[in-house]
Each structure stands twice: as structure tokens, then as C-alpha cells.
Amino acid sequence: MKRSIIIVFSTLLFAFSALADNIDTYKFSSVDQEQQYRHLTESLRCPKCQNNSIADSNAMIAGDMRLKVYELLQSGQTPDEVKAYMVARYGNFVTYEPPLLPSTLILWAGPALFVIVGALVIILRSRKRQPSEAELDAEQQARLDELLKNNGKQS
């Protein structure tokens, strides 16, 4: 019994040490540079995971992107230059706030246009369904009046 407990604990120990290999450890020249790195890795989207930042993703491409951000910051580039490099390499998708361009205009205006068109369709269809008295011809109107009179006498 004692031996099996030792085996389980040693297996868990090795499993946790294997997970520790996946942690990035970088040395920064200043605290400001480290904060810039953290902010950049949180603001860039992983191309593989799509809903995670490269800081949160375990994908290999996210690891490569984190390394490239670190290297570019170490070479003296500003955060804007690093972001511009990533956009040039991976496209506007890597930013969580893509710029408003003619090619992305439908993405920005699409939902609003969809709601407006839907509201117009509902309004126009509801107006067509409401019959008005003007739509009845003289014969139909006379028959309606007679039915209303007969109904009033029965009660």
C-alpha cells in the first residue's frame, strides 16, 4: 500500500514538472519593458485559438509569437512597431480591435444594417395585413351593415 502511494505521488510530481517546461521565462531590462511585453501579449490574438490572447494560449504559434514580441522589444522597437509587425505578418485578425477599412466596413456596419432591414420588413408586412374599410366595395359594405343590424336584433 505504501509503495503504491509513493508511485502515485512520484508520477504526479513528474507530470507537474512536465507542465512547468511550457512556461516562458524571459529576462527584461526594466519593469516598464516587462509591462509592455505583458500588455502586448494580452492584446494580440492567437491565430489558432482565435478567442485567446497569445499570453493565454498554449498553441505553438502563440509561443512563437510571444518569443517574437520579446525579441522585438529587446531590439528596441516600440509597442506600436511590434503590433505593426504582427499585423503585417498575421493580418488585422491578430488585433482585438481591427481598424475601420473599406474591406472591413461590412463587418462593422453589417449587424446594424441587418437589424434595420429586419425592422423594415416587419413594419411593411404588418401594414399589409391590416384590412381597412376603404378596401370593401359597396356590395360588401351593404352586406356587412345588414349582418350587423341582424346581429343587433337577435341579442
Side-chain angles (χ1 to χ4, degrees), residues 44-48 54 60-66 68-69 82-95:
L44 294 172
R45 184 188 325 233
C46 175
K48 183 175 181 184
I54 62 173
M60 288 177 58
I61 192 166
D64 293 342
M65 290 173 75
R66 286 190 299 265
K68 191 63 178 178
V69 168
V82 173
K83 195 175 275 193
Y85 172 85
M86 291 295 177
V87 167
R89 174 113 171 135
Y90 299 102
N92 285 323
F93 180 77
V94 296
T95 61

Side-chain angles (χ1 to χ4, degrees), residues 136-148:
L136 299 176
D137 61 7
E139 182 182 325
Q140 291 172 335
Q141 186 65 41
R143 186 164 183 251
L144 178 62
D145 291 339
E146 183 182 325
L147 287 171
L148 290 172

Side-chain angles (χ1 to χ4, degrees), residues 90-134:
Y90 299 102
N92 285 323
F93 180 77
V94 296
T95 61
Y96 281 107
E97 298 171 4
L100 182 62
L101 301 171
S103 60
T104 60
L105 188 60
I106 190 69
L107 295 174
W108 288 96
L113 289 175
F114 184 73
V115 169
I116 291 169
V117 168
L120 285 174
V121 167
I122 290 171
I123 291 169
L124 292 175
R125 288 188 62 126
S126 67
R127 285 186 180 174
K128 285 183 181 180
R129 289 187 182 167
Q130 298 174 352
S132 65
E133 290 184 26

